[in-house]
Amino acid sequence: MSERTIELEVLRYRPEQDSEPWFQTYKVSCPEEWVVLDALNYVKDELDRTLSYRWSCHMFVCGSCGMVIDGEPKLACKAFLRDYGNRIRIEPLANFPIERDLVIVMDDFMEKLESVKPYLIPKEEKSIDQGEYLQTPAQLKAYKQYSMCINCMLCYSACPQYGLAPEFIGPAALALAHRYNMDSRDVGRKAREDTVASHEGIWECSFVGACSEVCPKSVDPAGAIQQVKLTSAIDYFTSWLPGGGSR
Amino acid sequence: MSRKPYQRELPKTTWFLRHARYKKYMLHEISAFAVAVYLLILIIGLFRLGQGEEAWAGWLSFVTSPFGLILHLIIFGLSLVHTTAWFKAVPQAMRVQRGEQFVPGPTIVGAHYVVWAAVSVFVLILAGVA
Ligand code: SF4
């Protein structure tokens, strides 16, 4: 197994000691097969127990280990060391407050996620005895891509709009709203509209497209937002037509 | 234990210098401005045409002057940036589902280029160039 010494420049912030973040360098001899998360785990286990970061599954599923690696929002478990040089800069996700070291405060994201009602709102509630809400493969296909989101927040870290206007609901939450709107079993589009089609919602997006470029699950939140813009613009104009809505 | 989260600010005016993809985005935005400027030049042309032969000739000599030609080249380049950037983004905003499949992105983009070429040829014929 070939090994290489890599210098990890890790952003540290210890709220009880530090007034602002600073970089600490760790030298680690790393097998090429490692991902950045392995290197961080080595630091934590062998060099410095005080280093804090989130992780869980180590296989791109849990969405916990999002961080900015050499300027790019990445899952640390998906960032292979073979793709990096001998110095790697590791920072917490951008656009979120830093709780400690690489751990960010995600309350804002959780609130926004909740605000779009990201759950099935069926036309009629069915009891379990009445069976499933059926759906064809084509109906599933319509939204499946948007249901792959693992809430890793890389898209929020990449989105300059969220950084500049923190009230923006943001890519993942809007993509998730779209996921339910596109679901044949769901009738909640109207219930979500006040939040989704507001100024803080889709209209805050200027289609930089960075969210889709960094998304590790190819959700394409930017695409979802543009699609919602299209339907909501069509809604608006048809509401002015005779018999078209309540305006 | 008391919390003291640290908030890092995104620099309001220089944020786009931080990453190549943001610079590219800015270029797209500026290209829209170039298209708007060209529209304005054309509208002024129409207006001058309405004012009579002399006014029209003045406008014509402006757009065909060396400065006018350079301006055309720059605006043409930026219009190309603008068009290609938005054509590339169309499949994201417009998904066409046929049964269990989506029409592939390149087909949708390709169709846009075909229409663009057809409209351009039509306009050139109208203008008596082709
Ligand atoms: S949309 Fe993609 S980048 Fe954003 S939270 Fe979901 S999986 Fe992560």
Side-chain angles (χ1 to χ4, degrees):
Chain A
M1 230 165 28
S2 72
E3 295 213 355
R4 173 160 69 105
T5 303
I6 293 183
E7 290 181 13
L8 302 172
E9 283 178 34
V10 184
L11 195 95
R12 300 296 312 268
Y13 174 64
R14 300 157 305 173
E16 52 296 309
Q17 286 150 275
D18 301 330
S19 59
E20 55 180 43
W22 52 285
F23 281 99
Q24 180 162 4
T25 305
Y26 300 101
K27 274 194 184 155
V28 183
S29 174
C30 306
E32 282 295 291
E33 293 76 9
W34 272 11
V35 290
V36 168
L37 181 58
D38 295 318
L40 286 175
N41 284 343
Y42 180 87
V43 172
K44 176 94 176 166
D45 292 343
E46 308 291 338
L47 305 178
D48 184 354
R49 278 182 295 166
T50 68
L51 180 66
S52 298
Y53 52 97
R54 289 193 176 104
W55 73 287
S56 176
C57 78
H58 200 290
M59 48 193 259
F60 340 145
V61 173
C62 74
S64 317
C65 67
M67 43 192 84
V68 174
I69 303 174
D70 273 356
E72 192 74 14
K74 289 269 184 199
L75 295 178
C77 67
K78 212 184 171 192
F80 284 86
L81 292 181
R82 58 171 177 261
D83 300 327
Y84 293 87
N86 292 335
R87 260 183 108 77
I88 305 178
R89 185 167 263 233
I90 305 171
E91 297 165 79
L93 290 177
N95 302 333
F96 292 99
I98 304 173
E99 182 77 53
R100 169 185 299 274
D101 298 339
L102 301 172
V103 176
I104 50 102
V105 182
M106 60 168 98
D107 301 1
D108 185 53
F109 171 66
M110 298 309 269
E111 274 164 32
K112 281 166 178 168
L113 205 55
E114 239 182 278
S115 75
V116 301
K117 303 191 188 345
Y119 37 79
L120 209 62
I121 305 180
K123 199 162 180 181
E124 286 159 41
E125 287 289 346
K126 278 199 208 176
S127 70
I128 292 183
D129 305 336
Q130 288 170 294
E132 309 86 343
Y133 297 95
L134 294 177
Q135 190 162 59
T136 66
Q139 287 170 331
L140 168 69
K141 180 80 181 180
Y143 68 82
K144 189 167 178 213
Q145 176 187 345
Y146 307 115
S147 71
M148 304 309 277
C149 173
I150 55 173
N151 298 345
C152 66
M153 295 169 279
L154 297 194
C155 49
Y156 284 76
S157 178
C159 176
Q161 208 62 28
Y162 179 60
L164 296 167
E167 65 279 4
F168 179 34
I169 293 171
L174 290 170
L176 207 57
H178 188 53
R179 173 249 173 279
Y180 285 98
N181 288 346
M182 298 288 283
D183 193 319
S184 58
R185 303 163 298 177
D186 182 276
V187 292
R189 192 156 82 89
K190 278 272 165 290
R192 293 185 193 100
E193 194 153 72
D194 279 350
T195 319
V196 170
S198 66
H199 184 69
E200 295 75 38
I202 48 173
W203 301 111
E204 186 68 52
C205 166
S206 59
F207 202 2
V208 179
C211 52
S212 297
E213 285 179 37
V214 303
C215 174
K217 289 287 173 181
S218 306
V219 170
D220 190 11
I225 295 174
Q226 308 325 305
Q227 288 167 40
V228 182
K229 281 185 190 168
L230 207 65
T231 29
S232 123
I234 291 172
D235 274 0
Y236 177 77
F237 287 114
T238 50
S239 74
W240 290 92
L241 295 178
S246 52
R247 237 172 262 272
Chain B
M1 205 168 61
S2 71
R3 293 176 55 191
K4 200 182 84 186
Y6 186 87
Q7 185 80 48
R8 291 176 298 172
E9 297 291 335
L10 202 59
K12 288 268 183 278
T13 47
T14 55
W15 60 269
F16 64 92
L17 298 173
R18 291 190 159 190
H19 200 294
R21 71 164 67 90
Y22 300 150
K23 290 184 203 159
K24 221 165 112 188
Y25 162 76
M26 271 300 172
L27 184 69
H28 297 165
E29 295 291 289
I30 291 169
S31 69
F33 185 69
V35 173
V37 167
Y38 198 63
L39 268 180
L40 201 70
I41 295 176
L42 289 183
I43 290 170
I44 292 173
L46 266 182
F47 180 70
R48 301 299 272 169
L49 185 64
Q51 285 181 329
E53 208 178 325
E54 208 174 308
W56 167 249
W59 182 82
L60 214 54
S61 73
F62 164 71
V63 287
T64 52
S65 69
F67 175 73
L69 289 179
I70 291 170
L71 200 65
H72 266 89
L73 272 182
I74 295 171
I75 291 179
F76 181 63
L78 286 170
S79 311
L80 282 184
V81 168
H82 194 73
T83 309
T84 50
W86 286 109
F87 278 10
K88 195 169 138 238
V90 172
Q92 283 182 280
M94 199 178 85
R95 296 209 303 173
V96 185
Q97 191 177 355
R98 294 259 173 278
E100 287 172 41
Q101 298 301 328
F102 288 104
V103 175
T107 310
I108 296 178
V109 178
H112 278 73
Y113 277 101
V114 169
V115 173
W116 184 28
V119 170
S120 301
V121 168
F122 180 69
V123 170
L124 287 176
I125 290 172
L126 269 191
V129 178

